[in-house]
Amino acid sequence: MPPKRILILGSTGSIGTQTLDVIRHHADDFEIVGLAAGSSIETLADQAREFGVGALGLACADAAGRLHEVSSTATVFAGPDGLLEMVSATSPDLVVGAISGFDGLSSTIAALEAGIDVALANKEPLVAAGQFVIEAARRGGAEVIPIDSELSAIFQCLRGERREDIARMLLTASGGPFAKLPPEQRRAVTAQQALAHPTWRMGRKVTIDSATLANKGFEMFEVRWLFDVSFDRIQVVVHHQSIIHSLVEFRDRSVIAQMGRPDMRVPIQFALTYPERMDADVPGLDLAQIGSLTFAEPDTAGFPCLRLAMEAGRAGGGYPAVLVGADQAAVDLFLDDRIGFTDIPRLVGAALDDYDGTCPSSQGDVVTVNNWGQTYVTDHA
Ligand code: MG
């Protein structure tokens, strides 16, 4: 088998660097045809040297101008349009979509429309524009392979199963670092405390979203679009140990779970090797040492972002794009210490309440609605 040709969009972030870690252990099975980042030119140039990659992209056009200083031979793709051009110019077998946040939308859709499978890590494109992403995959005859651990779990549980046999999807949630914190103390949580996630190694945005439970709400959208099930058949269950990554219940009440140590390299590797499996350089699961697994209802009163996401999902139309835009702006403000932890759901809820309900009819409309949500929160903070 010739090596699988991989383009990594977002190679310097948490998912990108862990993807490279997986590829490092399977050097003969993969060829990296392109690497793209936001603005981290030094890290990108180091990665290009190590993996011998000649096509480099930078979403930030200013940074792209300086890339030649550190990597003189590379072909550089600059700015958001440059990244789209990179998708077609490098002709990959698989795009790893690991650009943080909503910005990954256009490259995801471009790859799928060109018939290229996308291993998708970032949730926001599916939350805000799920229908457009799935339609692009259908038009291009390409597949979205989830990287997110819970989604990878469900994807694996469904192998060989028939759609009509599915009864429910059970999404597990760690509960975030503040699940046991008394409500009155949650107001005073700082960005630094929230960034110290107990279990998973992740980027800043998704770590804050995990602490507010917005992330679990976003994953409900991923389930909804990737597996074509309605919101009322998706249930969230808190599971602090993060050993069961999610479950599927079938019509005969048989429940299949996917388990493993919480290490993102496992679902990343499965997305890269799918439909095959390969050896992984990670420790195995020792259930006797773990001892017990616990489960609980999610606290949607204490962490309203999950409830807001469910409401936006049921409302549909433009509400999911408002949710994504508002959450992005609120998390940015929180990371800058300009608002408190409990202001995040307050501002996101206010944006959803004040939205006029216009339904986007194109990818461009989704961007407009997303921007409206961001501006709303910035103006009302
Ligand atoms: Mg997840």
Side-chain angles (χ1 to χ4, degrees):
M1 282 275 282
K4 203 182 261 190
R5 297 165 56 81
I6 311 283
L7 168 63
I8 306 176
L9 301 178
S11 67
T12 59
S14 173
I15 294 292
T17 52
Q18 293 182 81
T19 301
L20 290 173
D21 202 22
V22 169
I23 291 176
R24 216 172 259 130
H25 289 96
H26 298 283
D28 297 338
D29 300 295
F30 301 103
E31 178 192 352
I32 301 174
V33 297
L35 294 167
S39 60
S40 311
I41 49 174
E42 273 83 17
T43 309
L44 186 67
D46 287 346
Q47 293 176 341
R49 265 190 296 277
E50 182 189 345
F51 291 92
V53 182
L56 302 180
L58 278 162
C60 170
D62 288 347
R66 286 182 283 126
L67 185 60
H68 279 295
E69 295 163 23
V70 286
S71 185
S72 55
T73 55
T75 306
V76 177
F77 297 87
D81 290 341
L83 297 197
L84 298 187
E85 200 189 324
M86 193 179 185
V87 170
S88 53
T90 55
S91 60
D93 297 317
L94 180 75
V95 170
V96 175
I99 295 174
S100 172
F102 182 68
D103 292 342
L105 176 65
S106 50
S107 50
T108 299
I109 287 187
L112 292 169
E113 274 182 335
I116 303 162
D117 292 341
V118 176
L120 190 60
N122 67 318
K123 306 173 172 76
E124 288 83 347
L126 276 175
V127 180
Q131 193 183 333
F132 299 105
V133 173
I134 294 307
E135 281 172 6
R138 211 169 283 150
R139 274 198 303 277
E143 202 169 350
V144 180
I145 303 153
I147 282 182
D148 199 359
S149 59
E150 293 83 353
L151 280 294
S152 177
I154 292 175
F155 188 63
Q156 294 181 55
C157 291
L158 289 176
R159 294 185 86 192
E161 300 290 349
R162 296 185 307 176
R163 253 208 93 246
E164 59 266 37
D165 292 338
I166 299 167
R168 274 189 312 159
M169 307 289 199
L170 298 155
L171 263 178
T172 52
S174 72
F178 309 124
K180 293 183 179 122
L181 199 68
E184 63 278 7
Q185 287 180 31
R186 266 177 223 143
R187 297 182 61 83
V189 162
T190 64
Q192 204 181 4
Q193 289 171 308
L195 286 172
H197 191 277
T199 319
W200 294 97
R201 182 155 71 93
M202 304 179 292
R204 285 157 63 88
K205 165 75 166 45
V206 63
T207 302
I208 303 304
D209 284 340
S210 294
T212 64
L213 296 196
N215 181 63
K216 206 49 57 181
F218 289 176
E219 287 173 1
M220 293 180 77
F221 285 86
E222 291 186 283
V223 174
R224 192 257 167 272
W225 291 111
L226 288 177
F227 308 114
D228 193 20
V229 294
S230 58
F231 272 87
D232 51 16
R233 291 207 288 164
I234 310 168
Q235 192 187 332
V236 173
V237 59
V238 172
H239 167 49
H240 290 298
Q241 297 82 12
S242 297
I243 296 298
I244 295 180
H245 301 317
S246 277
L247 320 87
V248 178
E249 182 186 68
F250 295 92
R251 66 201 294 178
D252 60 0
R253 301 299 171 210
S254 184
V255 178
I256 296 185
Q258 190 266 344
M259 303 168 74
R261 288 161 53 100
D263 187 324
M264 277 311 297
R265 289 172 300 174
V266 176
I268 289 171
Q269 176 170 313
F270 185 68
L272 293 178
T273 64
Y274 171 79
E276 323 256 313
R277 290 188 189 270
M278 288 181 193
D279 293 340
D281 186 41
V282 297
L285 183 62
D286 185 342
L287 283 173
Q289 196 207 350
I290 292 161
S292 62
L293 301 177
T294 60
F295 304 93
E297 290 282 347
D299 177 8
T300 50
F303 297 90
C305 281
L306 178 58
R307 178 180 52 79
L308 293 169
M310 290 178 189
E311 286 169 7
R314 292 206 180 91
Y319 288 96
V322 172
L323 174 78
V324 168
D327 182 70
Q328 177 73 59
V331 170
D332 285 345
L333 289 166
F334 175 68
L335 285 170
D336 284 346
D337 295 322
R338 288 167 59 197
I339 62 169
F341 185 71
T342 49
D343 292 324
I344 299 174
R346 182 179 61 77
L347 288 162
V348 171
L352 290 167
D353 281 344
D354 283 358
Y355 184 58
D356 69 6
T358 308
C359 187
S361 58
S362 67
Q363 188 187 330
D365 287 353
V366 175
V367 175
T368 306
V369 177
N370 180 271
N371 289 339
W372 183 89
Q374 287 202 33
T375 307
Y376 182 95
V377 165
T378 311
D379 290 350
H380 290 78

